[in-house]
Amino acid sequence: MLDQHLHWLTGMASVSRHQVGDKAFYLGSAHQRGYPIIPGCVISTEVFREFINTIYWGNPWLAGFTTLDLHLDPGHPKQLQAVAQQIRRTIIAAQFPHAWLSSLVEAIQTLDMPYLMCRPSISVEFSDDPAVSTKLKGLLAPQYCQAEPDAIAQAVKMAWAEAFRAKSLVVWQRSAISLQDLRIGVLVQPVYSALASGTLHPNPTGDRLDVTACWGLGGSVKTGEVVPDWYRIHPGSGIVETQHLNHKMYAYGISGETHSDLWAPVSSIDQLEIQSFPQALSRYEVQPTHQKGSVLSQPTLSALAQLYQQLFDEWGFNSQLEWVLGTVPASSDAPIRKTTVLGDQQAYLYVTQISPQPKPVAQQKFQPKHALSSRGGRERDAAPNKPMELRSAQPSSTAMPVVSALGAAPGQVIAPVWVIHERAAQSIAQVPTGYVLVAPDVMPDWMLDIQRTVGLVSEQGGMTCHAAIVARELGIPAVVGAHQITRLLNTGDKVLVNGDRGTIHRIDAEADPVKDAIAPSSLRPSSLGQSFPGRASLGSPPYSLPENERSNTPQTRAEHTDDSDQAGGSSQLQHRTQVMVSLSQVERLSELRDYPIDGIGLLRGELLLPTVLNRQSLAQRLQSGQTHELITQFCDRLQPFLEAMYPRPVYYRTADLRTNEFATLLGNPAPSEYGQSSSFPVLDDAQNPLLGSHGTLSYVNHPALFELELTVLYQLRRKGYDNIHVILPFVRTVEEFVACRQLIRQANLLAFADFQIWIMAEVPSVLFLLPEYVDAGISGIAIGTNDLAQLILALDRNHPTLSTVLDPRHPAVMRAIERLVKTARQLSIPCSICGEAPGQYPELIRSFVEWGATSVSVSPSAVIQTHEAIAQAEQALHLIEHSTESDS
């Protein structure tokens, strides 16, 4: 039976997209045209539907699954997890028909390779959009196995089951894809020995190509252990115009392969399991000489550009390609053979995925000639994208580059700009809804008004400036350090802001700015390729769970655990390093309810305060006798965070008001008028506000705001929110902490025995005084990588030029973090890593875990990749510990 539903990539002429899925269809079409494609076969989409009819679905939850007629509600994550887990377990535990397996093994034997990869290949019936596979790219993970019957059967079932993970079910529901219309094929290919791999696609304006590359297979990128090199090249010649080379410590490859000049095996006790088949792939440590060097040479980039141009000229649409440089030669009769040299080895270029893309904003080099047919040679253009996805303003639009700077918050948006040339409050108050704010700098006390914008662009700032932090908090794209951008743009100009690449392009004025503006994606796709579309209004599920499975209380991360490990029949390790989120905007809480987080690790008071004050200055509110009303409003603003997270902890960092950024918010007279002894927070005239009166020093000198915040925390504790704790910012000396702790005592917060007082470890003096702080009564530390890095390296993180060389991976910074983490561990206090470093450089997380950090707190867009990076690091650490115990 399986013979008639098994298709080879070399014979896809009479096969439709929906018979084999988009991934297999486009690769097969390219294979027929002579492009370098790894050979393989496809189990057609009809087979899965027949397979599920062989299964007994006795559980009442799954009534209707054989007709793929489930109705699920992503708003009930625990129910969704339970249903997804049951579906996957049932599929994987079912018997794979013997006759099918015999046919499959017989076919696969002709591939003659020891390891195989089974890749889900999906399409959506009744959809002619060739870009659907691009939109869902990376959602379903490949399965690796040995070329043995039992392993092959298990890998095929796991590939099918990928479509029914909880995260997959959410995507189908929110993308309006019914399970009846979802077609699931499985592409089976040998795993070739890969020297390097990566992606290739046009940049958003269509005039250049963007290439990413890592050593070995792409597993190191997907797990977040490695950030790949990035190149922007000319589409014709492949000449590099811009590149960013990253630290690439690890590479994944076939078990037992040897490329000693590139990498060396990691000790067996440090191997990471890849899916359920640890014997198929291994992780290798890249040789030091190649860790920071370029993966690709200019000849290789030119070969990639030529291949892309040839494919485009023949097919007529833009694509994102995935490629590998392997050591297995292409067939000698292949019309298109691309070879190059990597290190001192001959390498052969293969295309491993072709994902059609929407047309870029401008089609300068790439103009369609003819379209690929999906059925019977019928030609058609790529279907337009659905709303809320990046698309051209109009088919005829052109985009003119304005400036390239620093991408500080992910996402892309097309919208008109509102340019302001000064920091006055009245200027920001005039910004209309739906515009991109362009300013010399972005003040944190503009929070209320910034919420109306869809993007931020500033002339000043770096990755860790407040503009970047605010944008990431709000989930909107941001570009900072854009020199003279307020002179280059005028209010009303329409632009494309790319927060991933740090570019701003002016769009022609023909398009309707309201009609064509697109909203930024609230979350960047994770390292797993997973994306989270906007929430839809969904009804209650038509099934009910047992009473003990229902819960309206917040779940811990253990309850939110993805079902991958349980579905595979193996137990998941309990994470010792918690994943926390840094968040100060209540509007984003709903996006996080399905996320695997252990609480809020950093709730910045200074970012919450503007919404509490509601455009009034602190001076006005305190001097007009509105203290009680202010406390009530503050409690109301904080309570949703505590409610959403309960019983998970929320660490509130009291306001750190640096006077160059919060002058409008403070609104108070100069110190000379009020007197240095005043309890009111006052401005100072420090030449460098970072080194001026802020943080705990300002609480000692002018305690009014700090005392107000402590009163708010006490009121919330009295209401039963015992998950709220405090972090003190920018602590310089033990004496400052002791004075602040006395104020905390006076606020009666120490009457709650479980109330924790943490400090930010961001001033280098904490490195040397941590034991004294513990003796003075701190409960834990949160390492602020932003300020710690700039103070150790003496580089201003807000400076548009200097910030580009402010690297938290610098050995001096890393050694400081290591000392803090290990000292905290010796002193038996918790230690969290905050700041932007973990989200920006996920490869650092392994070190944080190994040193003993108890939690890592990142922005919402980095939660998933951080969770995965921690899981991988802990798995490796567990294997090391287990081996040590066995040896002893």
Side-chain angles (χ1 to χ4, degrees):
M1 166 273 170
L2 189 62
D3 292 342
Q4 60 184 329
H5 292 299
L6 200 62
H7 307 281
W8 289 94
L9 291 178
T10 53
M12 303 274 256
S14 60
V15 177
S16 74
R17 249 184 345 122
H18 302 310
Q19 285 179 277
V20 294
D22 290 348
K23 189 190 304 281
F25 174 75
Y26 289 116
L27 284 177
S29 300
H31 201 303
Q32 287 180 276
R33 288 163 170 78
Y35 286 90
I37 307 295
I38 296 173
C41 59
V42 189
I43 302 172
S44 75
T45 58
E46 288 88 348
V47 174
F48 173 68
R49 290 174 179 259
E50 293 195 26
F51 176 72
I52 63 173
N53 285 323
T54 69
I55 300 174
Y56 171 67
W57 300 90
N59 196 310
W61 303 354
L62 305 180
F65 186 75
T66 53
T67 59
L68 296 178
D69 192 26
L70 283 179
H71 300 280
L72 303 171
D73 184 4
H76 293 76
K78 192 170 183 180
Q79 294 176 344
L80 187 65
Q81 291 274 354
V83 172
Q85 187 178 91
Q86 186 65 31
I87 292 173
R88 286 173 47 77
R89 283 178 172 172
T90 304
I91 291 173
I92 293 170
Q95 182 68 36
F96 196 89
H98 180 74
W100 297 10
L101 183 57
S102 297
S103 299
L104 182 57
V105 170
E106 182 179 350
I108 287 172
Q109 284 176 345
T110 63
L111 298 175
D112 193 27
M113 291 293 285
Y115 300 112
L116 300 172
M117 178 169 57
C118 297
R119 307 167 68 191
S121 178
I122 65 170
S123 68
V124 180
E125 200 164 11
F126 309 117
S127 171
D128 287 329
D129 185 358
V132 67
S133 59
T134 303
K135 300 169 187 175
L136 303 174
K137 176 181 169 296
L139 179 65
L140 311 184
Q143 308 297 314
Y144 297 88
C145 69
Q146 289 181 309
E148 298 175 354
D150 290 344
I152 294 170
Q154 190 76 349
V156 170
K157 290 187 292 182
M158 291 186 71
W160 282 331
E162 277 292 299
F164 303 99
R165 289 186 183 276
K167 65 181 181 184
S168 304
L169 294 174
V170 170
V171 172
W172 309 143
Q173 187 87 350
R174 294 178 181 170
S175 301
I177 297 174
S178 69
L179 294 182
Q180 295 98 321
D181 295 337
L182 186 66
R183 313 288 287 180
I184 312 168
V186 179
L187 172 59
V188 183
Q189 293 175 291
V191 182
Y192 279 8
S193 177
L195 301 174
S197 61
T199 64
L200 169 66
H201 59 86
N203 71 329
T205 59
D207 59 347
R208 295 292 183 269
L209 296 175
D210 286 348
V211 179
T212 66
C214 68
W215 295 113
L217 296 169
S220 59
V221 175
K222 288 183 172 63
T223 60
E225 295 172 279
V226 163
V227 177
D229 289 349
W230 172 79
Y231 311 83
R232 176 155 291 170
I233 62 175
H234 188 274
S237 64
I239 298 298
V240 176
E241 297 186 354
T242 307
Q243 67 179 19
H244 297 293
L245 304 182
N246 293 298
H247 188 203
K248 303 165 291 296
M249 180 176 293
Y250 298 110
Y252 283 82
I254 299 175
S255 296
E257 65 180 337
T258 56
H259 302 297
S260 57
D261 61 322
L262 295 178
W263 53 66
V266 179
S267 172
S268 60
I269 60 174
D270 198 22
Q271 288 296 330
L272 301 182
E273 291 190 9
I274 305 299
Q275 305 300 329
S276 294
F277 304 97
Q279 68 272 40
L281 298 185
S282 293
R283 189 179 69 166
Y284 298 87
E285 186 170 353
V286 177
Q287 297 289 2
T289 53
H290 294 292
Q291 289 184 8
K292 295 185 179 180
S294 177
V295 172
L296 301 181
S297 63
Q298 184 58 66
T300 305
L301 289 164
S302 297
L304 282 166
Q306 292 166 13
L307 180 68
Y308 185 91
Q309 186 64 57
Q310 188 171 354
L311 187 68
F312 181 88
D313 289 342
E314 184 171 354
W315 283 13
F317 57 71
N318 293 311
S319 304
Q320 175 167 312
L321 306 184
E322 293 185 12
W323 53 267
V324 297
L325 287 172
T327 58
V328 178
S331 173
S332 58
D333 58 355
I336 302 173
R337 300 180 76 201
K338 295 290 184 182
T339 63
T340 185
V341 175
L342 197 65
D344 59 357
Q345 301 187 60
Q346 184 74 18
Y348 301 86
L349 178 61
Y350 288 94
V351 176
T352 58
Q353 184 156 329
I354 303 172
S355 303
Q357 285 192 314
K359 295 178 181 179
V361 176
Q363 293 284 4
Q364 297 182 11
K365 175 65 178 178
F366 306 117
Q367 291 295 337
K369 293 184 178 179
H370 56 273
L372 174 70
S373 169
S374 64
R375 294 178 185 267
R378 178 171 58 91
E379 293 188 353
R380 56 178 170 76
D381 291 330
N385 284 335
K386 295 179 181 179
M388 304 304 289
E389 302 230 0
L390 181 60
R391 65 186 191 279
S392 59
Q394 286 190 4
S396 61
S397 294
T398 58
M400 295 168 285
V402 177
V403 71
S404 293
L406 188 62
Q412 302 173 36
V413 64
I414 298 175
V417 301
W418 188 273
V419 182
I420 63 175
H421 299 277
E422 55 187 12
R423 298 178 177 180
Q426 57 268 29
S427 299
I428 183 65
Q430 296 170 357
V431 178
T433 300
Y435 277 66
V436 172
L437 173 63
V438 178
D441 200 0
V442 176
M443 298 293 103
D445 57 357
W446 292 355
M447 184 65 73
L448 274 177
D449 299 291
I450 289 174
Q451 290 178 1
R452 298 194 302 271
T453 68
V454 295
L456 293 179
V457 178
S458 72
E459 294 181 334
Q460 303 296 316
M463 279 297 294
T464 59
C465 70
H466 274 295
I469 293 172
V470 166
R472 288 190 287 267
E473 283 267 356
L474 296 175
I476 60 176
V479 175
V480 299
H483 185 56
Q484 294 190 335
I485 192 67
T486 57
R487 298 183 183 181
L488 298 173
L489 293 175
N490 297 310
T491 294
D493 287 349
K494 193 173 182 181
V495 297
L496 163 65
V497 177
N498 187 328
D500 298 292
R501 295 298 183 210
T503 57
I504 303 112
H505 286 77
R506 185 185 283 111
I507 308 298
D508 68 14
E510 298 176 8
D512 181 352
V514 175
K515 175 182 176 183
D516 292 317
I518 60 173
S521 58
S522 60
L523 292 176
R524 173 187 288 177
S526 76
S527 59
L528 297 176
Q530 169 182 354
S531 60
F532 294 80
R535 296 189 176 277
S537 177
L538 301 171
S540 300
Y543 53 83
S544 60
L545 294 177
E547 195 65 35
N548 62 357
E549 291 292 337
R550 301 176 189 164
S551 174
N552 293 320
T553 60
Q555 285 81 42
T556 65
R557 184 155 54 87
E559 292 172 313
H560 274 298
T561 299
D562 186 65
D563 53 299
S564 58
D565 287 329
Q566 290 90 335
S570 60
S571 63
Q572 175 162 335
L573 293 173
Q574 178 64 37
H575 284 206
R576 288 171 293 184
T577 308
Q578 295 184 318
V579 180
M580 312 287 277
V581 66
S582 299
L583 185 72
S584 304
Q585 300 309 300
V586 70
E587 293 78 11
R588 302 204 67 183
L589 282 172
S590 61
E591 299 170 7
L592 298 173
R593 61 183 176 184
D594 301 336
Y595 271 44
I597 56 177
D598 294 292
I600 296 178
L602 187 64
L603 199 166
R604 297 177 174 92
E606 66 272 11
L607 297 185
L608 193 69
L609 192 57
T611 60
V612 176
L613 292 175
N614 194 23
R615 295 187 176 84
Q616 288 185 284
S617 72
L618 184 61
Q620 289 175 310
R621 298 296 297 272
L622 292 181
Q623 292 172 350
S624 59
Q626 299 180 30
T627 303
H628 179 73
E629 180 182 355
L630 192 58
I631 291 171
T632 300
Q633 292 171 350
F634 219 133
C635 287
D636 291 343
R637 193 67 184 178
L638 262 175
Q639 188 168 323
F641 295 98
L642 307 179
E643 188 74 39
M645 291 293 131
Y646 195 86
R648 292 165 290 177
V650 174
Y651 290 93
Y652 173 80
R653 192 183 75 179
T654 50
D656 187 13
L657 301 181
R658 304 181 188 190
T659 53
N660 62 322
E661 299 170 333
F662 292 94
T664 304
L665 184 75
L666 288 169
N668 61 301
S672 58
E673 299 179 35
Y674 243 87
Q676 292 294 341
S677 62
S678 168
S679 67
F680 193 85
V682 297
L683 299 176
D684 61 26
D685 56 357
Q687 294 298 311
N688 186 341
L690 173 67
L691 305 181
S693 180
H694 67 97
T696 52
L697 178 61
S698 67
Y699 303 163
V700 174
N701 295 330
H702 315 291
L705 175 58
F706 182 58
E707 290 174 340
L708 184 145
E709 291 177 285
L710 296 179
T711 303
V712 169
L713 299 186
Y714 176 75
Q715 295 288 355
L716 291 169
R717 277 264 168 173
R718 285 280 304 274
K719 290 183 178 182
Y721 292 106
D722 54 8
N723 58 330
I724 183 72
H725 306 283
V726 72
I727 303 179
L728 303 179
F730 214 81
V731 183
R732 294 171 167 98
T733 68
V734 176
E735 290 75 18
E736 287 178 12
F737 170 74
V738 170
C740 290
R741 190 175 187 278
Q742 181 60 29
L743 293 173
I744 293 171
R745 178 183 296 278
Q746 292 172 7
N748 292 323
L749 281 166
L750 296 186
F752 303 100
D754 59 345
F755 184 72
Q756 300 176 29
I757 309 173
W758 288 35
I759 64 169
M760 293 297 298
E762 52 196 350
V763 177
S765 61
V766 180
L767 273 167
F768 311 102
L769 297 173
L770 191 51
E772 285 83 349
Y773 280 109
V774 172
D775 290 342
I778 69 168
S779 307
I781 61 171
I783 300 176
T785 60
N786 301 345
D787 278 342
L788 183 64
Q790 73 168 335
L791 288 171
I792 285 180
L793 299 177
L795 290 169
D796 185 355
R797 75 183 197 184
N798 294 319
H799 193 285
T801 303
L802 294 179
S803 63
T804 60
V805 296
L806 179 60
D807 192 339
R809 298 170 297 179
H810 190 282
V813 180
M814 290 298 290
R815 289 176 191 175
I817 296 174
E818 180 181 9
R819 177 168 175 172
L820 284 168
V821 173
K822 289 183 174 180
T823 304
R825 189 173 182 178
Q826 292 169 1
L827 296 169
S828 300
I829 62 168
C831 172
S832 177
I833 308 291
C834 299
E836 305 307 314
Q840 188 179 359
Y841 304 106
E843 67 270 22
L844 300 181
I845 290 174
R846 181 180 176 89
S847 295
F848 299 155
V849 171
E850 290 177 348
W851 296 336
T854 53
S855 64
V856 177
S857 187
V858 295
S859 60
S861 61
V863 165
I864 296 298
Q865 72 175 20
T866 301
H867 187 274
E868 293 302 318
I870 287 176
Q872 295 289 351
E874 290 185 346
Q875 179 81 17
L877 195 59
H878 173 77
L879 290 170
I880 294 172
E881 293 171 350
H882 180 73
S883 175
T884 303
E885 291 170 3
S886 300
D887 292 341
S888 62

